[in-house]
């Protein structure tokens, strides 16, 4: 990274804030440690933005918007593609950051990087497709049209689980539409934000177009919400926090998008290929230690194949490698923090006390939680309703697809869902009736593409991210008419 982005003390880097194209310190003189989830050691520190830095970041973004918003599509396209090139060249460095900062296992980190490059290329391709339309009129001699204009300053609040991907997804499409950006990275993974700023700086992004301000979430969020120059806030994180942001945004008549939690269901019907269904289900819940909002943590299996599925799935779970994220064979690494381990312990204790059976797993060494499979889970248990955000899954026997649908929809969430079956008619019927923003047939619940309308319903989200759907959120429609000749007025 740019040596100007950090100071080094006793061998530990302390990263600065990125405001107006400059790496700057914080006037509040507050520094927070970043811990490696794998071993609990301090691997970096970050300075924390206070009121002065938040205001300065918004000032810089607001000032830069005039030129960036008026820039040619080809200019924005060039910057996005150049950033993708920089990322490809610096992949080993980014991979190591994701492993050290958020406990991504080796191959998950590489996948996250490849998605980000695809995202930048996709956003660059969409730059030339932010289009308006012409409309029919009833007024003689009039031309009626709409155009799309960038909003101005957009603020993004990113989570810890895929900090590089989920931050960049917000930034890339916002910049492509002509907006400027203020990023508040997760307090658990602030170094990813500094690295993103460094990548764009190397690619030649004009000063002020992107600003990165790690800080105390409540303080930074309050200032962002109250500033009328911030036209949209895009958030990925917990439902509890998302609700609060929605209320604050409404108070200030500010646009917002929310991508929040999930309790995503996977339905396996009796005609499914068992081995394939087991492999899909395992990937869908054990990827990144289950710290994925789309994880299929509740699996409904039709009765005729339930016992066979359970036997094979439990065997699969027992064989999933748990280990240090730098080991290329590891599938499950450490959870992000100790309190997440305690939270899952509480869910399991509650479930067992109420009659659930642990088929495998249930233990942990430090933050390394074993792949855990439960049966006998009922609505009286916390884990039936709550998102675990860990490698824990409930297998539920159902008599038919209708019972599976009822259980799948019996949740406050509605992010992703999946159905595995060879009955296309039944698959489509369930897809239409599942209360979910996304449904995947003959797949697990974890899948994403930069150009699709990604998002959920109910308490899982509001609005969509990706491709053309992003333009709906990140631009303002303006109606323009042109009168040819003179209009006749009644008086």
């Amino acid at each position: 990274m740019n040596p100007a982005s950090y100071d080094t003390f006793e061998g530990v880097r302390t990263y600065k804030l990125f405001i107006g194209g400059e790496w700057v310190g914080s006037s509040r003189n507050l520094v927070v440690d970043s811990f490696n989830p794998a071993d609990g050691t301090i691997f970096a520190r970050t300075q924390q933005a206070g009121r002065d830095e938040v205001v300065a970041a918004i000032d810089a973004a607001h000032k830069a918007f005039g030129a960036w918003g008026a820039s040619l599509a080809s200019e924005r396209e060039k910057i996005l593609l150049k950033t993708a090139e920089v990322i490809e060249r610096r992949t080993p460095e980014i991979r190591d950051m994701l492993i050290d900062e958020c406990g991504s296992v080796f191959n998950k980190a590489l996948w996250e990087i490849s998605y980000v490059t695809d995202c930048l290329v996709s956003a660059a391709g969409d730059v030339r497709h932010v289009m308006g339309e012409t409309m029919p009129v009833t007024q003689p001699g009039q031309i009626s049209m709409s155009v799309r204009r960038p909003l101005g300053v957009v603020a993004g609040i990113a989570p810890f689980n895929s900090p590089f991907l989920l931050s960049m997804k917000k930034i890339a499409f916002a910049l492509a539409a002509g907006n400027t950006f203020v990023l508040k990275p997760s307090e658990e993974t602030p170094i990813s934000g500094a690295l993103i700023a460094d990548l764009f700086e190397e690619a030649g992004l004009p000063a002020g177009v992107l600003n990165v301000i790690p800080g105390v979430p409540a303080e930074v969020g309050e200032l962002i919400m109250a500033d009328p120059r911030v036209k949209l806030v895009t958030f990925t994180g917990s439902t509890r926090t998302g609700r609060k942001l929605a209320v604050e945004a409404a108070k200030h008549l500010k646009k917002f998008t929310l991508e929040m939690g999930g309790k995503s269901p996977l339905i396996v019907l009796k005609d499914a290929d068992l081995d394939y269904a087991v492999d899909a289900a395992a990937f869908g819940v054990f990827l990144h230690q289950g710290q994925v909002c789309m994880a299929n943590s509740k699996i409904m299996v039709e009765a005729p194949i339930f016992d066979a599925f359970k036997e094979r799935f439990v065997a699969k779970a027992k064989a999933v490698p748990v280990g240090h994220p730098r080991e290329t064979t590891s599938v499950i690494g450490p959870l992000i923090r100790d309190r997440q381990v305690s939270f899952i312990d509480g869910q399991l204790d509650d479930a067992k006390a109420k009659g659930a059976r642990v088929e495998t797993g249930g233990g942990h060494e430090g933050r390394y939680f074993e792949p855990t499979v439960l049966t006998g889970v009922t609505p009286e248990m916390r884990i039936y309703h709550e998102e675990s955000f860990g490698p824990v899954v409930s297998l539920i026997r159902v008599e038919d697809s209708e019972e599976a649908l009822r259980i799948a929809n019996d949740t406050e969430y509605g992010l992703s869902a999946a159905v595995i079956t060879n009955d296309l008619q039944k698959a489509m019927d369930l897809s239409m009736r599942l209360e979910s923003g996304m449904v995947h047939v003959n797949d697990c619940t974890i899948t994403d593409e930069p150009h699709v309308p990604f998002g959920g319903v109910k308490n899982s989200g509001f609005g969509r991210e990706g491709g053309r759907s992003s333009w709906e959120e990140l631009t303002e429609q303006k109606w323009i008419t042109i009168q040819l000749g003179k209009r006749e007025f009644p008086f």
Side-chain angles (χ1 to χ4, degrees):
M1 287 183 64
N2 184 343
S5 67
Y6 60 87
D7 295 317
T8 302
F9 180 69
E10 295 183 346
V12 179
R13 291 182 177 182
T14 299
Y15 287 90
K16 302 176 184 178
L17 315 173
F18 189 69
I19 299 174
E22 300 289 338
W23 295 98
V24 299
S26 169
S27 60
R28 69 188 305 177
N29 197 31
L30 176 62
V31 174
V32 171
D33 295 333
S34 286
F35 296 93
N36 187 324
D39 55 22
T41 59
I42 298 173
F43 80 95
R45 297 184 173 94
T46 50
Q47 297 199 28
Q48 301 291 289
R51 174 177 292 274
D52 291 346
E53 289 74 40
V54 175
V55 172
I58 298 172
D59 285 345
H62 183 67
K63 181 180 179 181
F65 172 65
W68 184 252
S71 63
L72 297 176
S74 59
E75 294 172 333
R76 283 174 269 140
E77 179 184 67
K78 183 178 179 180
I79 289 290
L80 293 168
L81 293 175
K82 178 64 176 176
T83 306
E85 292 176 8
V86 172
I87 289 170
E88 288 180 343
R89 178 169 49 78
R90 294 174 60 179
T91 288
E93 173 192 356
I94 302 167
R95 177 201 64 210
D96 289 347
M97 180 275 295
L98 291 171
I99 292 171
D100 290 343
E101 184 171 50
C102 67
S104 291
V105 296
F106 190 92
N107 290 316
K108 183 266 184 183
L110 289 177
W111 168 81
E112 187 169 344
I113 295 166
S114 69
Y115 183 100
V116 166
T117 57
D118 283 350
C119 183
L120 286 160
V121 171
S122 179
D126 280 340
V127 165
R128 299 173 187 264
H129 297 95
V130 185
M131 298 179 181
E133 59 184 347
T134 58
M135 292 162 279
V137 297
T138 57
Q139 178 67 34
Q142 188 180 76
I143 297 174
S144 179
M145 70 184 77
S146 69
V147 297
R148 288 197 172 273
R149 301 296 300 156
L151 299 175
V153 180
V154 173
I157 301 174
F160 73 83
N161 55 334
S162 291
F164 191 54
L165 186 161
L166 293 171
S167 295
M168 191 66 85
K169 192 173 184 180
K170 298 177 185 302
I171 295 166
F173 286 102
L175 300 191
N179 299 294
T180 54
F181 207 91
V182 176
L183 174 67
K184 191 277 173 197
S186 167
E187 62 274 22
E188 305 278 5
T189 53
I191 313 305
S192 63
L195 181 56
I196 288 170
D198 186 58
L199 295 167
F200 273 108
E201 183 183 35
E202 181 176 338
L205 186 69
V209 174
L210 172 64
N211 306 272
V212 179
I213 48 169
V216 179
E219 294 179 8
V220 176
E222 181 182 352
L223 292 165
I224 285 173
M225 284 296 180
D227 197 309
R229 295 172 298 175
V230 177
K231 302 302 181 183
L232 178 143
V233 175
T234 172
F235 167 82
T236 299
S238 71
T239 296
R240 179 177 58 84
T241 303
R243 283 177 174 272
K244 292 179 180 179
L245 287 174
V247 170
E248 291 304 311
K251 288 180 182 178
H252 299 282
L253 294 180
K254 195 182 300 290
K255 292 182 71 175
F256 62 92
T257 64
L258 305 174
E259 199 269 278
M260 303 183 289
K263 192 70 178 176
S264 297
L266 168 62
I267 297 173
V268 182
L269 299 185
K270 59 188 177 184
D271 67 333
D273 179 309
L274 268 178
D275 289 332
Y276 176 79
V278 166
D279 287 345
F283 178 84
V285 74
F286 297 136
L287 175 68
H288 194 38
Q289 301 78 262
Q291 296 175 130
V292 181
C293 53
M294 297 175 281
N296 46 238
S297 56
K298 190 186 288 186
I299 304 175
M300 282 67 68
V301 184
E302 274 197 291
I305 64 167
F306 179 84
D307 289 338
F309 180 92
K310 181 183 75 170
E311 180 182 357
R312 298 187 196 190
F313 187 81
V314 168
K316 177 85 172 182
K318 288 179 178 178
V320 171
V322 179
H324 195 283
R326 286 200 177 276
E327 296 294 332
T328 58
T329 56
S330 295
V331 171
I332 291 184
L335 294 174
I336 190 69
R337 52 186 170 240
D338 292 333
R339 67 175 181 271
Q340 191 64 30
V341 176
S342 300
F343 176 79
I344 297 172
D345 278 340
Q347 285 185 324
L348 294 178
D349 289 344
D350 172 79
K352 289 185 290 185
K354 294 174 181 175
R357 175 183 172 84
V358 178
E359 300 290 343
T360 186
H364 55 84
E365 291 187 14
R367 297 179 182 180
Y368 292 84
F369 216 102
E370 297 172 340
T372 301
V373 182
L374 298 177
T375 56
V377 172
T378 64
E380 292 73 34
M381 302 171 188
R382 286 173 47 198
I383 203 164
Y384 179 93
H385 302 282
E386 295 176 348
E387 184 176 28
S388 297
F389 233 56
V392 182
V393 60
S394 302
L395 302 186
I396 301 175
R397 180 196 299 263
V398 295
E399 293 304 315
D400 53 30
S401 61
E402 289 301 312
E403 184 182 7
L405 179 69
R406 178 184 61 78
I407 294 173
N409 287 340
D410 184 23
T411 174
E412 67 180 284
Y413 298 110
L415 184 57
S416 186
V419 181
I420 298 181
T421 178
N422 287 310
D423 187 334
L424 180 59
Q425 182 167 320
K426 190 166 286 187
M428 284 304 300
D429 176 61
L430 290 171
S431 295
M432 297 300 290
R433 292 193 289 152
L434 279 162
E435 296 170 357
S436 179
M438 303 172 285
V439 180
H440 307 293
V441 176
N442 289 332
D443 202 345
C444 66
T445 55
I446 297 179
T447 187
D448 191 8
E449 296 282 351
H451 57 278
V452 303
F454 188 97
V457 298
K458 300 197 286 190
N459 284 344
S460 284
F462 186 90
R464 295 292 183 269
E465 287 184 337
R468 289 184 298 173
S469 298
S470 290
W471 308 139
E472 297 292 331
E473 312 292 351
L474 292 166
T475 63
E476 205 73 74
Q477 251 187 332
K478 179 179 288 189
W479 180 39
I480 298 175
T481 66
I482 301 173
Q483 183 66 41
L484 302 178
K486 295 182 177 180
R487 175 180 174 182
E488 292 187 5
F489 298 101
F491 60 87

